Amino acid sequence: MAALTPTVLPDVEAPASRTARPRRVRGWRGVVLALAGLYFVVPLLASFVFTVNDPVRGFTLDAYLEIFGAEGFVPSLLLSLGLAAATIVVVLVLTLPAMLAVRLTAPRLRPVMEVLCTLPLVVPPITFVAGIGTVLRWGPDHLAATPFYQTVIAVQDPAFPVVLVIAYVVLALPFVYRALDSGLGAMDVRTLVEAARNCGASWPHVLLRVVVPNLASGLASASFLTLALVLGEYTVARLLGFQPFSVWIVTISGSDAAMSVAVSIFSLLLTWLLLLVLSTAGTNRRSRS
Amino acid sequence: MTDISPMAPVRLPRRAGGRRLGAPGWAAALPLLIFVGLAFGVPAAALLGGAFTSEGSFTTANLTESLQGAYLTALLGSVKLSVLVAVTGAVLGTFLAQAVVTSRFRALREAVLTASGVLANFGGVPLAFAWIATLGNSGVLTRGLGLGDAGWSLYSFWGLALVYLYFSIPLMVLVMVPALDGLRPQWREAARGNGASAWQFWRYVGVPVLTPALLGGVVLLFGGAFAAYATAAAMVGTVVPLVTLQIADALTGNVLIGHENVALALSFDMIVVAGLVMAVYLPLQRRSARWLR
């Protein structure tokens, strides 16, 4: 950081500043960057030290090695990944046709879509769970005599709680909407679809062979964002009483603090990796086109 | 190419006849509309219904109760924390964004933006644990610097604010970098040419142009801090009164018989607060978009 300040300074005194007025703010940038670096790096380093520094035995990597053998790690991670996969499929299958329709044939639906896809941002997840929980409790009381009863029970199957997929699809809508909207904005959907239709392609064919390949980076970014969301989601799962990955971390933190921090670092690295893949996928596409 | 001539006559009447492209029309959007209507609408209706009923009859008693005593303290605590985090995060994030934007090093800029993208998403439980390991009761820094004896506790209002800033500042950087990029150098040169000082440039040109983005950022940070539950739950339990913790407490049955719907009334209060704040954001976003294109 110290080396950074002097090299940056000429930029402050841009060619226009013959009066050399900004001299008194010299070096503020270095200070800001240094403080920010400290604030953001220290917790990461400290957590790493926390996981490898055993008060009794000194340096050890046990916390990381134990993760994979810990009770509940594999099932909870598998559950989270399964939920993520289901959420991604459902949200894309629902959103993509709707967004194509908005672009091609029903532009008047656009404000409706925008409101629908912003609502989950306005409504805090915990209030959403409060609503879902009420429905799930209310269901068995009032629907006992109807076939819906079985449905309400089935969506809460702890082995694969469909109700979580439903909730996550709603929570993922804003991110998916924005990712797909920018993806669709970057290509000439109307011309492509009209050309394909005029050449006799059926709608499924248009969707799978024309739109999807052109939208690959948008779809990828929507999927990654959804994946990150589902892997990190805690509120809904915890309050509905299921145990995917994020809830499991809290459960084990009581018995093994070092390991829970190690898992936290692990999940941060995972997010980091996902976003890195995402951003490189985006730039590759841009540079090719 | 040879295919086209036999096909064209077949396609033409179709195009002219039934507006073939428009055939799916609204239908393609229907599954999504129905899904959101059910998955979002039904819980919302249940929440509203529950918030305004007690033992089957319409009442505002739940709402009244949710605005009294410990519940009111929690709601105000959440609002206070969110305002603090939003304003501090906005100011610090803007300075950091400005430092990055005016820096000559592209690598620094890329690194900060990538890191911001990751850290802005670094919420929830892992964030709480990282900070507990750092500044918690047996955290590395707490022991290393002897902060425990100095009366430091992470499990407090200020501790939570410190932790929330960890994802709020990067979010603000992501909001402000495009806005600051939109400040054209010509404006600064014009101001200089007319004899304006740096202070006058920011006072009369920079800040007014940035105001929509700034306020939008404040609203985003407020919303993030207001809705955060996982971090607070994993960190402080119920030491700090927050509305999300109260709702979770009430939802998991930790409430007097006959008062179950208070959680729903509290949720309703939250939505009202968040909705009011977000209502400020949407028109602002449109205004700032005009400058940033």
Side-chain angles (χ1 to χ4, degrees), chain A residues 236-271:
Chain A
V236 178
R238 154 83 176 70
L239 290 175
L240 292 181
F242 300 108
Q243 201 179 48
F245 191 55
S246 53
V247 181
W248 175 77
I249 302 181
V250 179
T251 318
I252 59 144
S253 74
S255 58
D256 191 340
M259 185 161 77
S260 68
V261 176
V263 179
S264 298
I265 295 180
F266 175 75
S267 76
L268 176 70
L269 289 180
L270 202 70
T271 325

PDB file of all heavy atoms in Angstrom, chain A residues 236-271:
ATOM      1  N   VAL A 236     -35.153 -19.615   5.616  1.00  0.00           N
ATOM      2  CA  VAL A 236     -36.334 -20.402   5.271  1.00  0.00           C
ATOM      3  C   VAL A 236     -36.181 -21.838   5.768  1.00  0.00           C
ATOM      4  O   VAL A 236     -37.067 -22.390   6.430  1.00  0.00           O
ATOM      5  CB  VAL A 236     -36.571 -20.373   3.743  1.00  0.00           C
ATOM      6  CG1 VAL A 236     -37.772 -21.228   3.383  1.00  0.00           C
ATOM      7  CG2 VAL A 236     -36.776 -18.954   3.269  1.00  0.00           C
ATOM      8  N   ALA A 237     -35.021 -22.434   5.474  1.00  0.00           N
ATOM      9  CA  ALA A 237     -34.816 -23.837   5.835  1.00  0.00           C
ATOM     10  C   ALA A 237     -34.879 -24.031   7.348  1.00  0.00           C
ATOM     11  O   ALA A 237     -35.519 -24.955   7.850  1.00  0.00           O
ATOM     12  CB  ALA A 237     -33.470 -24.309   5.302  1.00  0.00           C
ATOM     13  N   ARG A 238     -34.218 -23.137   8.077  1.00  0.00           N
ATOM     14  CA  ARG A 238     -34.170 -23.273   9.525  1.00  0.00           C
ATOM     15  C   ARG A 238     -35.566 -23.143  10.135  1.00  0.00           C
ATOM     16  O   ARG A 238     -35.958 -23.929  10.996  1.00  0.00           O
ATOM     17  CB  ARG A 238     -33.232 -22.198  10.082  1.00  0.00           C
ATOM     18  CG  ARG A 238     -33.458 -21.731  11.489  1.00  0.00           C
ATOM     19  CD  ARG A 238     -32.820 -22.648  12.512  1.00  0.00           C
ATOM     20  NE  ARG A 238     -32.959 -22.135  13.866  1.00  0.00           N
ATOM     21  CZ  ARG A 238     -34.117 -22.091  14.525  1.00  0.00           C
ATOM     22  NH1 ARG A 238     -35.216 -22.497  13.955  1.00  0.00           N
ATOM     23  NH2 ARG A 238     -34.161 -21.607  15.754  1.00  0.00           N
ATOM     24  N   LEU A 239     -36.331 -22.160   9.684  1.00  0.00           N
ATOM     25  CA  LEU A 239     -37.618 -21.914  10.326  1.00  0.00           C
ATOM     26  C   LEU A 239     -38.681 -22.916   9.899  1.00  0.00           C
ATOM     27  O   LEU A 239     -39.674 -23.090  10.582  1.00  0.00           O
ATOM     28  CB  LEU A 239     -38.084 -20.477  10.055  1.00  0.00           C
ATOM     29  CG  LEU A 239     -37.233 -19.458  10.806  1.00  0.00           C
ATOM     30  CD1 LEU A 239     -37.625 -18.043  10.444  1.00  0.00           C
ATOM     31  CD2 LEU A 239     -37.362 -19.649  12.310  1.00  0.00           C
ATOM     32  N   LEU A 240     -38.464 -23.583   8.751  1.00  0.00           N
ATOM     33  CA  LEU A 240     -39.409 -24.633   8.384  1.00  0.00           C
ATOM     34  C   LEU A 240     -38.933 -25.984   8.915  1.00  0.00           C
ATOM     35  O   LEU A 240     -39.587 -27.005   8.728  1.00  0.00           O
ATOM     36  CB  LEU A 240     -39.606 -24.687   6.871  1.00  0.00           C
ATOM     37  CG  LEU A 240     -40.328 -23.481   6.269  1.00  0.00           C
ATOM     38  CD1 LEU A 240     -40.484 -23.644   4.765  1.00  0.00           C
ATOM     39  CD2 LEU A 240     -41.679 -23.270   6.906  1.00  0.00           C
ATOM     40  N   GLY A 241     -37.754 -25.983   9.550  1.00  0.00           N
ATOM     41  CA  GLY A 241     -37.307 -27.184  10.243  1.00  0.00           C
ATOM     42  C   GLY A 241     -36.615 -28.217   9.374  1.00  0.00           C
ATOM     43  O   GLY A 241     -36.663 -29.407   9.666  1.00  0.00           O
ATOM     44  N   PHE A 242     -35.950 -27.792   8.297  1.00  0.00           N
ATOM     45  CA  PHE A 242     -35.201 -28.744   7.485  1.00  0.00           C
ATOM     46  C   PHE A 242     -33.708 -28.536   7.724  1.00  0.00           C
ATOM     47  O   PHE A 242     -33.311 -27.536   8.313  1.00  0.00           O
ATOM     48  CB  PHE A 242     -35.542 -28.581   6.005  1.00  0.00           C
ATOM     49  CG  PHE A 242     -36.991 -28.806   5.735  1.00  0.00           C
ATOM     50  CD1 PHE A 242     -37.827 -27.751   5.420  1.00  0.00           C
ATOM     51  CD2 PHE A 242     -37.532 -30.079   5.846  1.00  0.00           C
ATOM     52  CE1 PHE A 242     -39.175 -27.963   5.195  1.00  0.00           C
ATOM     53  CE2 PHE A 242     -38.881 -30.289   5.615  1.00  0.00           C
ATOM     54  CZ  PHE A 242     -39.700 -29.233   5.294  1.00  0.00           C
ATOM     55  N   GLN A 243     -32.898 -29.496   7.263  1.00  0.00           N
ATOM     56  CA  GLN A 243     -31.480 -29.367   7.547  1.00  0.00           C
ATOM     57  C   GLN A 243     -30.579 -29.483   6.317  1.00  0.00           C
ATOM     58  O   GLN A 243     -29.837 -30.448   6.160  1.00  0.00           O
ATOM     59  CB  GLN A 243     -31.030 -30.376   8.586  1.00  0.00           C
ATOM     60  CG  GLN A 243     -29.731 -29.919   9.236  1.00  0.00           C
ATOM     61  CD  GLN A 243     -29.246 -30.875  10.298  1.00  0.00           C
ATOM     62  OE1 GLN A 243     -29.194 -32.063  10.090  1.00  0.00           O
ATOM     63  NE2 GLN A 243     -28.877 -30.327  11.437  1.00  0.00           N
ATOM     64  N   PRO A 244     -30.622 -28.471   5.449  1.00  0.00           N
ATOM     65  CA  PRO A 244     -29.618 -28.426   4.385  1.00  0.00           C
ATOM     66  C   PRO A 244     -28.298 -27.893   4.942  1.00  0.00           C
ATOM     67  O   PRO A 244     -28.168 -27.672   6.150  1.00  0.00           O
ATOM     68  CB  PRO A 244     -30.227 -27.469   3.366  1.00  0.00           C
ATOM     69  CG  PRO A 244     -31.129 -26.608   4.139  1.00  0.00           C
ATOM     70  CD  PRO A 244     -31.594 -27.394   5.326  1.00  0.00           C
ATOM     71  N   PHE A 245     -27.355 -27.665   4.058  1.00  0.00           N
ATOM     72  CA  PHE A 245     -25.975 -27.364   4.429  1.00  0.00           C
ATOM     73  C   PHE A 245     -25.839 -26.223   5.432  1.00  0.00           C
ATOM     74  O   PHE A 245     -25.185 -26.367   6.469  1.00  0.00           O
ATOM     75  CB  PHE A 245     -25.200 -27.048   3.146  1.00  0.00           C
ATOM     76  CG  PHE A 245     -23.728 -26.978   3.328  1.00  0.00           C
ATOM     77  CD1 PHE A 245     -23.042 -28.043   3.881  1.00  0.00           C
ATOM     78  CD2 PHE A 245     -23.023 -25.851   2.954  1.00  0.00           C
ATOM     79  CE1 PHE A 245     -21.674 -27.989   4.052  1.00  0.00           C
ATOM     80  CE2 PHE A 245     -21.659 -25.784   3.115  1.00  0.00           C
ATOM     81  CZ  PHE A 245     -20.984 -26.859   3.670  1.00  0.00           C
ATOM     82  N   SER A 246     -26.470 -25.081   5.133  1.00  0.00           N
ATOM     83  CA  SER A 246     -26.274 -23.902   5.976  1.00  0.00           C
ATOM     84  C   SER A 246     -26.800 -24.135   7.392  1.00  0.00           C
ATOM     85  O   SER A 246     -26.242 -23.621   8.363  1.00  0.00           O
ATOM     86  CB  SER A 246     -26.956 -22.692   5.341  1.00  0.00           C
ATOM     87  OG  SER A 246     -28.297 -23.004   5.068  1.00  0.00           O
ATOM     88  N   VAL A 247     -27.886 -24.887   7.521  1.00  0.00           N
ATOM     89  CA  VAL A 247     -28.436 -25.162   8.850  1.00  0.00           C
ATOM     90  C   VAL A 247     -27.523 -26.142   9.586  1.00  0.00           C
ATOM     91  O   VAL A 247     -27.302 -26.020  10.795  1.00  0.00           O
ATOM     92  CB  VAL A 247     -29.870 -25.718   8.747  1.00  0.00           C
ATOM     93  CG1 VAL A 247     -30.441 -25.982  10.125  1.00  0.00           C
ATOM     94  CG2 VAL A 247     -30.749 -24.746   7.990  1.00  0.00           C
ATOM     95  N   TRP A 248     -26.964 -27.074   8.816  1.00  0.00           N
ATOM     96  CA  TRP A 248     -26.060 -28.056   9.414  1.00  0.00           C
ATOM     97  C   TRP A 248     -24.839 -27.385  10.050  1.00  0.00           C
ATOM     98  O   TRP A 248     -24.393 -27.761  11.135  1.00  0.00           O
ATOM     99  CB  TRP A 248     -25.621 -29.061   8.347  1.00  0.00           C
ATOM    100  CG  TRP A 248     -24.604 -30.037   8.814  1.00  0.00           C
ATOM    101  CD1 TRP A 248     -24.817 -31.137   9.593  1.00  0.00           C
ATOM    102  CD2 TRP A 248     -23.194 -29.981   8.573  1.00  0.00           C
ATOM    103  NE1 TRP A 248     -23.630 -31.776   9.843  1.00  0.00           N
ATOM    104  CE2 TRP A 248     -22.613 -31.096   9.220  1.00  0.00           C
ATOM    105  CE3 TRP A 248     -22.373 -29.113   7.862  1.00  0.00           C
ATOM    106  CZ2 TRP A 248     -21.251 -31.355   9.181  1.00  0.00           C
ATOM    107  CZ3 TRP A 248     -21.011 -29.369   7.821  1.00  0.00           C
ATOM    108  CH2 TRP A 248     -20.465 -30.482   8.479  1.00  0.00           C
ATOM    109  N   ILE A 249     -24.298 -26.340   9.366  1.00  0.00           N
ATOM    110  CA  ILE A 249     -23.128 -25.641   9.910  1.00  0.00           C
ATOM    111  C   ILE A 249     -23.430 -25.131  11.314  1.00  0.00           C
ATOM    112  O   ILE A 249     -22.609 -25.252  12.221  1.00  0.00           O
ATOM    113  CB  ILE A 249     -22.735 -24.444   9.018  1.00  0.00           C
ATOM    114  CG1 ILE A 249     -22.429 -24.897   7.605  1.00  0.00           C
ATOM    115  CG2 ILE A 249     -21.532 -23.726   9.585  1.00  0.00           C
ATOM    116  CD1 ILE A 249     -22.021 -23.754   6.697  1.00  0.00           C
ATOM    117  N   VAL A 250     -24.629 -24.561  11.494  1.00  0.00           N
ATOM    118  CA  VAL A 250     -24.974 -24.020  12.804  1.00  0.00           C
ATOM    119  C   VAL A 250     -25.120 -25.154  13.814  1.00  0.00           C
ATOM    120  O   VAL A 250     -24.688 -25.038  14.959  1.00  0.00           O
ATOM    121  CB  VAL A 250     -26.274 -23.200  12.725  1.00  0.00           C
ATOM    122  CG1 VAL A 250     -26.647 -22.666  14.084  1.00  0.00           C
ATOM    123  CG2 VAL A 250     -26.101 -22.066  11.742  1.00  0.00           C
ATOM    124  N   THR A 251     -25.694 -26.260  13.350  1.00  0.00           N
ATOM    125  CA  THR A 251     -25.893 -27.383  14.264  1.00  0.00           C
ATOM    126  C   THR A 251     -24.566 -27.891  14.803  1.00  0.00           C
ATOM    127  O   THR A 251     -24.449 -28.167  15.996  1.00  0.00           O
ATOM    128  CB  THR A 251     -26.617 -28.531  13.531  1.00  0.00           C
ATOM    129  OG1 THR A 251     -27.653 -27.961  12.742  1.00  0.00           O
ATOM    130  CG2 THR A 251     -27.220 -29.502  14.517  1.00  0.00           C
ATOM    131  N   ILE A 252     -23.543 -28.003  13.928  1.00  0.00           N
ATOM    132  CA  ILE A 252     -22.277 -28.544  14.424  1.00  0.00           C
ATOM    133  C   ILE A 252     -21.463 -27.499  15.161  1.00  0.00           C
ATOM    134  O   ILE A 252     -20.522 -27.848  15.873  1.00  0.00           O
ATOM    135  CB  ILE A 252     -21.394 -29.118  13.292  1.00  0.00           C
ATOM    136  CG1 ILE A 252     -21.078 -28.046  12.267  1.00  0.00           C
ATOM    137  CG2 ILE A 252     -22.002 -30.346  12.676  1.00  0.00           C
ATOM    138  CD1 ILE A 252     -19.681 -28.197  11.729  1.00  0.00           C
ATOM    139  N   SER A 253     -21.789 -26.212  14.995  1.00  0.00           N
ATOM    140  CA  SER A 253     -20.952 -25.185  15.632  1.00  0.00           C
ATOM    141  C   SER A 253     -20.960 -25.345  17.146  1.00  0.00           C
ATOM    142  O   SER A 253     -20.002 -24.989  17.822  1.00  0.00           O
ATOM    143  CB  SER A 253     -21.435 -23.799  15.243  1.00  0.00           C
ATOM    144  OG  SER A 253     -22.631 -23.501  15.914  1.00  0.00           O
ATOM    145  N   GLY A 254     -22.062 -25.897  17.678  1.00  0.00           N
ATOM    146  CA  GLY A 254     -22.128 -26.091  19.119  1.00  0.00           C
ATOM    147  C   GLY A 254     -21.073 -27.066  19.608  1.00  0.00           C
ATOM    148  O   GLY A 254     -20.446 -26.857  20.645  1.00  0.00           O
ATOM    149  N   SER A 255     -20.817 -28.125  18.816  1.00  0.00           N
ATOM    150  CA  SER A 255     -19.897 -29.153  19.293  1.00  0.00           C
ATOM    151  C   SER A 255     -18.463 -28.908  18.840  1.00  0.00           C
ATOM    152  O   SER A 255     -17.530 -29.308  19.502  1.00  0.00           O
ATOM    153  CB  SER A 255     -20.373 -30.526  18.813  1.00  0.00           C
ATOM    154  OG  SER A 255     -20.457 -30.535  17.413  1.00  0.00           O
ATOM    155  N   ASP A 256     -18.274 -28.275  17.693  1.00  0.00           N
ATOM    156  CA  ASP A 256     -16.915 -28.097  17.190  1.00  0.00           C
ATOM    157  C   ASP A 256     -16.772 -26.731  16.513  1.00  0.00           C
ATOM    158  O   ASP A 256     -17.066 -26.565  15.334  1.00  0.00           O
ATOM    159  CB  ASP A 256     -16.583 -29.220  16.202  1.00  0.00           C
ATOM    160  CG  ASP A 256     -15.105 -29.235  15.853  1.00  0.00           C
ATOM    161  OD1 ASP A 256     -14.439 -28.198  16.061  1.00  0.00           O
ATOM    162  OD2 ASP A 256     -14.620 -30.271  15.382  1.00  0.00           O
ATOM    163  N   ALA A 257     -16.318 -25.755  17.287  1.00  0.00           N
ATOM    164  CA  ALA A 257     -16.248 -24.381  16.779  1.00  0.00           C
ATOM    165  C   ALA A 257     -15.266 -24.269  15.612  1.00  0.00           C
ATOM    166  O   ALA A 257     -15.583 -23.660  14.590  1.00  0.00           O
ATOM    167  CB  ALA A 257     -15.847 -23.431  17.896  1.00  0.00           C
ATOM    168  N   ALA A 258     -14.087 -24.891  15.771  1.00  0.00           N
ATOM    169  CA  ALA A 258     -13.068 -24.756  14.718  1.00  0.00           C
ATOM    170  C   ALA A 258     -13.576 -25.306  13.395  1.00  0.00           C
ATOM    171  O   ALA A 258     -13.382 -24.719  12.336  1.00  0.00           O
ATOM    172  CB  ALA A 258     -11.786 -25.473  15.130  1.00  0.00           C
ATOM    173  N   MET A 259     -14.274 -26.451  13.482  1.00  0.00           N
ATOM    174  CA  MET A 259     -14.744 -27.047  12.236  1.00  0.00           C
ATOM    175  C   MET A 259     -15.823 -26.177  11.588  1.00  0.00           C
ATOM    176  O   MET A 259     -15.854 -26.032  10.366  1.00  0.00           O
ATOM    177  CB  MET A 259     -15.290 -28.453  12.473  1.00  0.00           C
ATOM    178  CG  MET A 259     -15.665 -29.125  11.187  1.00  0.00           C
ATOM    179  SD  MET A 259     -15.790 -30.885  11.351  1.00  0.00           S
ATOM    180  CE  MET A 259     -17.347 -31.050  12.144  1.00  0.00           C
ATOM    181  N   SER A 260     -16.710 -25.583  12.402  1.00  0.00           N
ATOM    182  CA  SER A 260     -17.758 -24.765  11.796  1.00  0.00           C
ATOM    183  C   SER A 260     -17.151 -23.555  11.091  1.00  0.00           C
ATOM    184  O   SER A 260     -17.625 -23.137  10.032  1.00  0.00           O
ATOM    185  CB  SER A 260     -18.781 -24.346  12.845  1.00  0.00           C
ATOM    186  OG  SER A 260     -18.208 -23.447  13.748  1.00  0.00           O
ATOM    187  N   VAL A 261     -16.083 -22.988  11.662  1.00  0.00           N
ATOM    188  CA  VAL A 261     -15.422 -21.875  10.983  1.00  0.00           C
ATOM    189  C   VAL A 261     -14.741 -22.369   9.703  1.00  0.00           C
ATOM    190  O   VAL A 261     -14.784 -21.715   8.662  1.00  0.00           O
ATOM    191  CB  VAL A 261     -14.406 -21.189  11.925  1.00  0.00           C
ATOM    192  CG1 VAL A 261     -13.643 -20.102  11.185  1.00  0.00           C
ATOM    193  CG2 VAL A 261     -15.121 -20.597  13.117  1.00  0.00           C
ATOM    194  N   ALA A 262     -14.138 -23.575   9.798  1.00  0.00           N
ATOM    195  CA  ALA A 262     -13.498 -24.151   8.613  1.00  0.00           C
ATOM    196  C   ALA A 262     -14.523 -24.334   7.494  1.00  0.00           C
ATOM    197  O   ALA A 262     -14.257 -24.024   6.327  1.00  0.00           O
ATOM    198  CB  ALA A 262     -12.854 -25.489   8.968  1.00  0.00           C
ATOM    199  N   VAL A 263     -15.724 -24.813   7.849  1.00  0.00           N
ATOM    200  CA  VAL A 263     -16.772 -24.987   6.838  1.00  0.00           C
ATOM    201  C   VAL A 263     -17.180 -23.639   6.268  1.00  0.00           C
ATOM    202  O   VAL A 263     -17.455 -23.505   5.071  1.00  0.00           O
ATOM    203  CB  VAL A 263     -17.990 -25.722   7.439  1.00  0.00           C
ATOM    204  CG1 VAL A 263     -19.072 -25.876   6.402  1.00  0.00           C
ATOM    205  CG2 VAL A 263     -17.587 -27.067   7.966  1.00  0.00           C
ATOM    206  N   SER A 264     -17.205 -22.613   7.130  1.00  0.00           N
ATOM    207  CA  SER A 264     -17.560 -21.272   6.644  1.00  0.00           C
ATOM    208  C   SER A 264     -16.556 -20.797   5.604  1.00  0.00           C
ATOM    209  O   SER A 264     -16.945 -20.261   4.562  1.00  0.00           O
ATOM    210  CB  SER A 264     -17.593 -20.288   7.809  1.00  0.00           C
ATOM    211  OG  SER A 264     -18.573 -20.663   8.739  1.00  0.00           O
ATOM    212  N   ILE A 265     -15.273 -20.992   5.899  1.00  0.00           N
ATOM    213  CA  ILE A 265     -14.241 -20.592   4.929  1.00  0.00           C
ATOM    214  C   ILE A 265     -14.416 -21.389   3.633  1.00  0.00           C
ATOM    215  O   ILE A 265     -14.373 -20.850   2.533  1.00  0.00           O
ATOM    216  CB  ILE A 265     -12.836 -20.819   5.510  1.00  0.00           C
ATOM    217  CG1 ILE A 265     -12.631 -19.907   6.706  1.00  0.00           C
ATOM    218  CG2 ILE A 265     -11.778 -20.577   4.456  1.00  0.00           C
ATOM    219  CD1 ILE A 265     -11.269 -20.055   7.343  1.00  0.00           C
ATOM    220  N   PHE A 266     -14.659 -22.678   3.814  1.00  0.00           N
ATOM    221  CA  PHE A 266     -14.887 -23.566   2.675  1.00  0.00           C
ATOM    222  C   PHE A 266     -16.033 -23.046   1.807  1.00  0.00           C
ATOM    223  O   PHE A 266     -15.927 -22.975   0.580  1.00  0.00           O
ATOM    224  CB  PHE A 266     -15.200 -24.960   3.232  1.00  0.00           C
ATOM    225  CG  PHE A 266     -15.572 -25.993   2.226  1.00  0.00           C
ATOM    226  CD1 PHE A 266     -14.614 -26.565   1.408  1.00  0.00           C
ATOM    227  CD2 PHE A 266     -16.887 -26.413   2.116  1.00  0.00           C
ATOM    228  CE1 PHE A 266     -14.965 -27.530   0.489  1.00  0.00           C
ATOM    229  CE2 PHE A 266     -17.243 -27.372   1.204  1.00  0.00           C
ATOM    230  CZ  PHE A 266     -16.278 -27.932   0.385  1.00  0.00           C
ATOM    231  N   SER A 267     -17.117 -22.629   2.452  1.00  0.00           N
ATOM    232  CA  SER A 267     -18.270 -22.168   1.661  1.00  0.00           C
ATOM    233  C   SER A 267     -17.985 -20.819   1.017  1.00  0.00           C
ATOM    234  O   SER A 267     -18.475 -20.529  -0.069  1.00  0.00           O
ATOM    235  CB  SER A 267     -19.535 -22.116   2.515  1.00  0.00           C
ATOM    236  OG  SER A 267     -19.525 -21.008   3.354  1.00  0.00           O
ATOM    237  N   LEU A 268     -17.162 -19.995   1.666  1.00  0.00           N
ATOM    238  CA  LEU A 268     -16.783 -18.724   1.029  1.00  0.00           C
ATOM    239  C   LEU A 268     -15.955 -18.995  -0.221  1.00  0.00           C
ATOM    240  O   LEU A 268     -16.183 -18.397  -1.273  1.00  0.00           O
ATOM    241  CB  LEU A 268     -15.983 -17.857   1.997  1.00  0.00           C
ATOM    242  CG  LEU A 268     -15.480 -16.552   1.366  1.00  0.00           C
ATOM    243  CD1 LEU A 268     -16.626 -15.601   1.098  1.00  0.00           C
ATOM    244  CD2 LEU A 268     -14.436 -15.879   2.220  1.00  0.00           C
ATOM    245  N   LEU A 269     -15.002 -19.927  -0.085  1.00  0.00           N
ATOM    246  CA  LEU A 269     -14.168 -20.256  -1.241  1.00  0.00           C
ATOM    247  C   LEU A 269     -15.023 -20.798  -2.382  1.00  0.00           C
ATOM    248  O   LEU A 269     -14.795 -20.495  -3.553  1.00  0.00           O
ATOM    249  CB  LEU A 269     -13.103 -21.278  -0.851  1.00  0.00           C
ATOM    250  CG  LEU A 269     -11.997 -20.743   0.053  1.00  0.00           C
ATOM    251  CD1 LEU A 269     -11.008 -21.828   0.384  1.00  0.00           C
ATOM    252  CD2 LEU A 269     -11.297 -19.567  -0.618  1.00  0.00           C
ATOM    253  N   LEU A 270     -16.032 -21.575  -2.022  1.00  0.00           N
ATOM    254  CA  LEU A 270     -16.934 -22.140  -3.026  1.00  0.00           C
ATOM    255  C   LEU A 270     -17.651 -21.027  -3.786  1.00  0.00           C
ATOM    256  O   LEU A 270     -17.705 -21.017  -5.017  1.00  0.00           O
ATOM    257  CB  LEU A 270     -17.949 -23.054  -2.321  1.00  0.00           C
ATOM    258  CG  LEU A 270     -18.618 -24.100  -3.188  1.00  0.00           C
ATOM    259  CD1 LEU A 270     -17.627 -25.167  -3.578  1.00  0.00           C
ATOM    260  CD2 LEU A 270     -19.791 -24.719  -2.437  1.00  0.00           C
ATOM    261  N   THR A 271     -18.185 -20.037  -3.016  1.00  0.00           N
ATOM    262  CA  THR A 271     -18.857 -18.906  -3.647  1.00  0.00           C
ATOM    263  C   THR A 271     -17.889 -18.149  -4.546  1.00  0.00           C
ATOM    264  O   THR A 271     -18.234 -17.758  -5.664  1.00  0.00           O
ATOM    265  CB  THR A 271     -19.382 -17.932  -2.574  1.00  0.00           C
ATOM    266  OG1 THR A 271     -19.793 -18.669  -1.443  1.00  0.00           O
ATOM    267  CG2 THR A 271     -20.524 -17.116  -3.107  1.00  0.00           C
TER     268      THR A 271
END
